Amino acid sequence: AATNLSVIRDGRTLLTDANLHIASGELHALLGPNGAGKSTLLRVLAGEWSAASGSVQLAGQALSEWTSQAQAQRRAVLPQHDQLNFGFTVIEVVTLGRLAARQRSHRHEQDLLAEVMAATDITALAARRYPTLSGGERRRAQLARVLAQVWDADQPLLLLDEPTHSLDPAHQHRVMTLLRTLAARGFGIVVSLHELNLAAAYAGHISLLRAGRILATGETAAVLNETNLRATYGDGLHFTAVMDEGRQQWLSHTA
């Protein structure tokens, strides 16, 4: 839960009076243009950045009262960019996610790694050296690492900054389907996206951000309308809702 968060970095206000509550079993998408404050909000929720005002709680307890180890066993974070360039194999990268987890039996650990790699479609890449991967393959390997961290945790929280970045359309849908499945298992998930229709198709809740403010938040069907979308992305764009095989999709076009 985030309450009245404001963030100031290098003299610039990046977030103003942001309020957000994520429940277990909820897939919540953050949408907005570049610089809207999506990554800033995720960084504060993760404890990476401090807020100028406001508070963050995890499971009803102030984030500052959690040890780093306890946080890592309950929530995992996928940043927008990764800086890993060492010659680790993919399986070694994914295994890094288990460093902070409560270790179980060897069989449990091996089965868990196999599950997350299959879920992110990187099983065939296990022996590949990480620097040789494509951008999309790296993204999936990093997602697998993050999932491995909390795959067997109690009511885990995922904070994912553009997990579909660099992915082809098939893998974008595969990842979003996976996240929706995990939410049904009790995961709380916050995900920043630029793909409006992915959010519309998979997220149960959405927050729209612009210029560091949350303009609208709530259930997807209530938040996604032309008025809110134009306020978020600018009056120069028009949005039209269409139905495709029972799913609402949004088409954007200039005036």
Side-chain angles (χ1 to χ4, degrees):
T3 305
N4 298 328
L5 284 184
S6 292
V7 177
I8 300 174
R9 303 281 293 188
D10 298 327
R12 295 178 59 241
T13 299
L14 304 181
L15 203 64
T16 304
D17 293 331
N19 292 279
L20 191 69
H21 182 271
I22 307 300
S24 295
E26 179 177 331
L27 175 52
H28 193 117
L30 307 178
L31 293 173
N34 295 332
K38 303 183 296 297
S39 294
T40 296
L41 178 54
L42 286 173
R43 284 172 174 150
V44 178
L45 292 177
E48 179 184 346
W49 284 3
S50 59
S53 61
S55 63
V56 177
Q57 291 187 325
L58 177 61
Q61 183 177 343
L63 194 63
S64 60
E65 296 176 6
W66 289 73
T67 66
S68 297
Q69 179 82 1
Q71 287 186 50
Q73 291 175 348
R74 186 69 179 266
R75 66 100 184 94
V77 182
L78 179 70
Q80 188 175 136
H81 305 289
D82 81 86
Q83 306 298 323
L84 181 60
N85 287 307
F86 293 111
F88 294 133
T89 63
V90 170
I91 185 61
E92 288 172 336
V93 170
V94 178
T95 304
L96 290 174
R98 298 300 294 168
L99 291 178
R102 294 183 177 90
Q103 294 296 304
R104 313 293 177 90
S105 68
H106 178 74
R107 177 62 181 271
H108 174 88
E109 294 298 314
Q110 293 304 112
D111 288 347
L112 185 150
L113 293 174
E115 285 181 24
V116 297
M117 293 181 71
T120 52
D121 194 27
I122 61 168
T123 302
L125 304 176
R128 287 272 303 276
R129 295 290 175 183
Y130 186 79
T132 70
L133 302 181
S134 70
E137 290 169 338
R138 287 185 178 213
R139 201 67 181 147
R140 283 150 45 208
Q142 289 294 336
L143 178 59
R145 175 188 58 79
V146 169
L147 294 179
Q149 182 178 328
V150 293
W151 192 255
D152 55 353
D154 180 36
Q155 294 184 315
L157 173 67
L158 292 173
L159 304 175
L160 310 176
D161 200 353
E162 296 189 33
T164 57
H165 176 66
S166 298
L167 300 189
D168 59 69
H171 279 106
Q172 287 183 349
H173 285 281
R174 179 166 182 154
V175 165
M176 294 305 297
T177 298
L178 171 61
L179 297 183
R180 187 166 61 184
T181 300
L182 293 177
R185 277 177 42 183
F187 281 59
I189 304 172
V190 188
V191 52
S192 74
L193 295 169
H194 279 296
E195 299 85 358
L196 173 59
N197 284 315
L198 283 181
Y202 293 98
H205 294 75
I206 284 177
S207 291
L208 298 176
L209 290 86
R210 181 179 178 86
R213 292 183 179 273
I214 297 179
L215 301 184
T217 187
E219 293 186 1
T220 297
V223 169
L224 290 188
N225 57 60
E226 184 173 11
T227 299
N228 285 343
L229 290 173
R230 291 186 68 183
T232 301
Y233 292 101
D235 288 334
L237 284 177
H238 293 268
F239 295 86
T240 304
V242 298
M243 298 301 293
D244 181 20
E245 296 182 354
R247 289 183 175 180
Q248 187 180 69
Q249 293 193 340
W250 289 88
L251 304 177
S252 61
H253 54 92
T254 57

